[in-house]
Amino acid sequence: AVFNTYNSILANNKLYVGTQNGVYYSPDNGATWVGPISGFSYSSNAFAISGTTLFAGNSSGLYSMPLSGGNFTTVTTQFGVLSLLVDPTGLWAGTQGTFSSYAKGTLLSTDNGLSWSQANSGLAGSTIQTLFPFGDKIFAVKNPTGLYSSTDKGTTWVLSDDRASSYDALVQLVAEKNGKLFVAANNGIITSSDTGKTWSFLAAGFTPQALFVYGSKLFAGEQGGVRISTDDGVSWAQANNGLTGYLSANCFASNNGKLFLGLYGDGVYTSIDSGTTWTEASTGLSSRRIRSFAFIGNLTLVGTDGGGVNKSTDAGLTWTASNAGLSSENVWSLISTGGKVFVGSNDGVHISYDSAATWQKTSPWPMISNTLCVTATDIYDGTYYAGVWRKSLSEFVTDVTENSQNSIESFSIEQNYPNPFNPSTEIKFAIPLDSHVKLELFNTLGEKVATLINKEMSAGTHNYQLSIVNYQLPSGIYFYKLQSGNYAETKKMIVMK
């Protein structure tokens, strides 16, 4: 018979191997094999030796047997085991969920598996519905309840407020308006004006499942459609004019003066009058279960449940599926930054470098990626049952796309497009010779907000994708300045949330 072997360990002059049929051992360096050893079924994920005991773990639980011989006995089936490690502290287990239990992150036992304590820093092993960057913090909404925050790039998390609420398929549960945070709660909203140090509750009379700021208005999606507040959540008015079907308002977005709404079950709607009236925009959608939006240049992207990513080049009038390379069409989250688009799906995170034409997987894990957010330096993945993961944006391609061109005769910089914009815009410029280029962003007071480019660049045309998420840009007027040698030119842009 031929068996797949997954791992092995040498103990007490015996070689133990894990196969798809259980654990075998060889007393003579592989010449002959004995097994499978009773008490342990199916494949093993990991082995470890603690004292005189051999531990083996798989998706069903943790098992042990004496090194002197005998059979395996069950230690626990309260969690599946992905990895095992023994050090002077004790026995460590990296866990996974089973059919009857959730993953519990990293666990530590100091009594050979009789009892376990969680060795995580707040959110490992949890289901994360929303990630939201604000100032020097990352906020996370944990399913089913709880708002957590981190000030050390997600290394440790602390509970900010236990009134935050979330449900499956919802990721847009936090919004920011003029420095004030709004977070969905049962039958209302919690809000903070001091970056999350203290929170107060606003009884709205409904449970928001999406929050969004557009201009001076705070939008909320619920099972009954859309509500709008013009007084920071104190009072609300329904805004369902033009909406039909199952009014589960799941997500919002805006781009180039148009407001987008995703219904979970009845497609996309748009508004050009700040939500007063809505127009259906679902022609060509491969699925009407909408979960998220993203924009890159003049391209509108929508993430759907069951239909993958759909794209529109006419601001939502028509849609086509764009799933080449995407290994799951159950999309939860979309986000664009620096000319790249990231997708969170039932099969982890995928990235596109070519405006969503093709996708490639960028996360090694098969776990469900519920929600994504980016900061100036990192991308965060909030997962289903596996907490928060982080990856540096520096591991991906630069924000600048270079297009070599032989006929450029002078320096130039174009008006950014789209403008006004949210959440990203493209700045195109040209340089006639290899030179040092600096591209900077200023506010209306002349204060520098960010240095976007500061390096040697080759002659040609260049495209820079600016994301307001990367630099936490509030709504308002900004100026971007290109400088190279004796050349300098400034243009105006508008951020509209």
Side-chain angles (χ1 to χ4, degrees):
V2 177
F3 297 112
N4 292 323
T5 59
Y6 300 103
N7 46 46
S8 62
I9 193 169
L10 184 64
N12 205 23
N13 295 321
K14 293 179 181 178
L15 177 63
Y16 293 85
V17 297
T19 76
Q20 76 266 34
N21 282 1
V23 178
Y24 289 72
Y25 75 89
S26 172
D28 50 15
N29 296 321
T32 60
W33 293 93
V34 179
I37 301 173
S38 179
F40 187 97
S41 301
Y42 310 114
S43 61
S44 65
N45 290 333
F47 289 121
I49 298 171
S50 179
T52 60
T53 303
L54 173 66
F55 289 91
N58 63 13
S59 59
S60 298
L62 180 67
Y63 304 83
S64 67
M65 66 168 287
L67 288 176
S68 58
N71 300 321
F72 280 102
T73 58
T74 301
V75 176
T76 181
T77 57
Q78 293 300 306
F79 51 83
V81 174
L82 286 171
S83 58
L84 291 170
L85 172 70
V86 173
D87 69 4
T89 310
L91 174 64
W92 299 79
T95 72
Q96 67 179 127
T98 68
F99 289 111
S100 60
S101 66
Y102 298 159
K104 294 176 174 59
T106 305
L107 300 180
L108 171 65
S109 175
T110 57
D111 52 14
N112 276 342
L114 296 178
S115 60
W116 296 86
S117 61
Q118 198 161 34
N120 306 289
S121 296
L123 287 184
S126 304
T127 292
I128 310 302
Q129 294 297 142
T130 298
L131 290 171
F132 190 86
F134 185 73
D136 63 347
K137 292 182 178 179
I138 300 288
F139 287 92
V141 178
K142 173 183 173 182
N143 182 288
T145 57
L147 176 69
Y148 290 75
S149 64
S150 174
T151 58
D152 55 10
K153 292 191 172 186
T155 302
T156 56
W157 297 86
V158 295
L159 180 65
S160 290
D161 198 287
D162 61 5
R163 291 170 291 186
S165 64
S166 68
Y167 304 94
D168 285 348
L170 308 177
V171 299
Q172 201 173 30
L173 300 171
V174 183
E176 178 266 328
K177 183 172 181 282
N178 297 326
K180 182 181 289 188
L181 284 172
F182 299 87
V183 182
N186 286 319
N187 211 37
I189 290 174
I190 58 173
T191 180
S192 174
S193 299
D194 54 12
T195 67
K197 296 184 181 73
T198 59
W199 296 88
S200 58
F201 179 76
L202 300 175
F206 65 95
T207 298
Q209 58 187 32
L211 292 171
F212 188 71
V213 172
Y214 186 70
S216 62
K217 297 178 179 179
L218 176 62
F219 285 77
E222 58 158 339
Q223 286 294 328
V226 177
R227 299 201 188 208
I228 296 176
S229 174
T230 57
D231 53 13
D232 287 356
V234 176
S235 60
W236 295 87
Q238 284 195 321
N240 293 335
N241 188 13
L243 298 180
T244 60
Y246 179 56
L247 301 186
S248 179
N250 211 35
C251 54
F252 298 91
S254 64
N255 192 45
N256 204 25
K258 180 176 285 190
L259 185 61
F260 291 79
L261 166 67
L263 298 181
Y264 192 77
D266 272 291
V268 174
Y269 284 76
T270 62
S271 174
I272 57 174
D273 54 13
S274 299
T276 302
T277 57
W278 298 95
T279 303
E280 188 173 5
S282 301
T283 301
L285 283 175
S286 57
S287 170
R288 296 175 69 89
R289 298 188 297 273
I290 310 303
R291 282 177 169 162
S292 54
F293 292 98
F295 305 94
I296 180 168
N298 64 346
L299 189 67
T300 305
L301 304 174
V302 63
T304 73
D305 181 6
V309 176
N310 285 231
K311 63 182 180 181
S312 173
T313 58
D314 51 19
L317 297 179
T318 57
W319 301 89
T320 58
S322 185
N323 296 321
L326 200 62
S327 58
S328 172
E329 294 186 2
N330 296 104
V331 171
W332 297 77
S333 183
L334 277 172
I335 197 164
S336 65
T337 180
K340 303 173 284 291
V341 186
F342 293 89
V343 163
S345 73
N346 272 15
D347 191 30
V349 181
H350 291 69
I351 187 173
S352 174
Y353 295 100
D354 53 11
S355 299
T358 59
W359 302 93
Q360 54 186 281
K361 192 169 183 180
T362 185
S363 61
W365 48 87
M367 64 191 71
I368 296 173
S369 172
N370 265 359
T371 178
L372 301 171
C373 82
V374 295
T375 65
T377 57
D378 301 282
I379 180 168
Y380 293 81
D381 177 19
T383 68
Y384 193 62
Y385 293 157
V388 179
W389 297 67
R390 174 173 56 88
K391 193 178 183 74
S392 173
L393 287 173
S394 64
E395 298 182 42
F396 302 102
V397 176
T398 177
D399 291 348
V400 182
T401 302
E402 302 186 12
N403 304 298
S404 180
Q405 199 165 323
N406 297 323
S407 58
I408 296 174
E409 298 178 354
S410 62
F411 290 94
S412 65
I413 184 166
E414 298 182 10
Q415 183 64 51
N416 65 298
Y417 182 85
N419 188 45
F421 71 95
N422 180 22
S424 64
T425 190
E426 182 178 84
I427 302 171
K428 186 176 182 179
F429 60 93
I431 54 177
L433 69 164
D434 296 353
S435 55
H436 188 92
V437 173
K438 183 180 291 187
L439 181 62
E440 297 175 308
L441 190 65
F442 300 86
N443 61 22
T444 54
L445 299 176
E447 300 168 330
K448 185 167 67 176
V449 175
T451 299
L452 307 178
I453 300 174
N454 187 15
K455 64 178 182 179
E456 294 291 328
M457 300 187 71
S458 58
T461 60
H462 304 267
N463 300 299
Y464 182 87
Q465 289 288 333
L466 170 63
S467 170
I468 65 174
V469 179
N470 284 0
Y471 298 98
Q472 298 295 305
L473 300 179
S475 298
I477 297 173
Y478 296 85
F479 298 91
Y480 57 99
K481 179 181 180 182
L482 180 69
Q483 193 168 6
S484 182
N486 295 325
Y487 170 81
E489 187 172 357
T490 301
K491 290 185 179 294
K492 181 174 72 173
M493 64 170 57
I494 301 174
V495 174
M496 179 181 292
K497 292 188 177 180

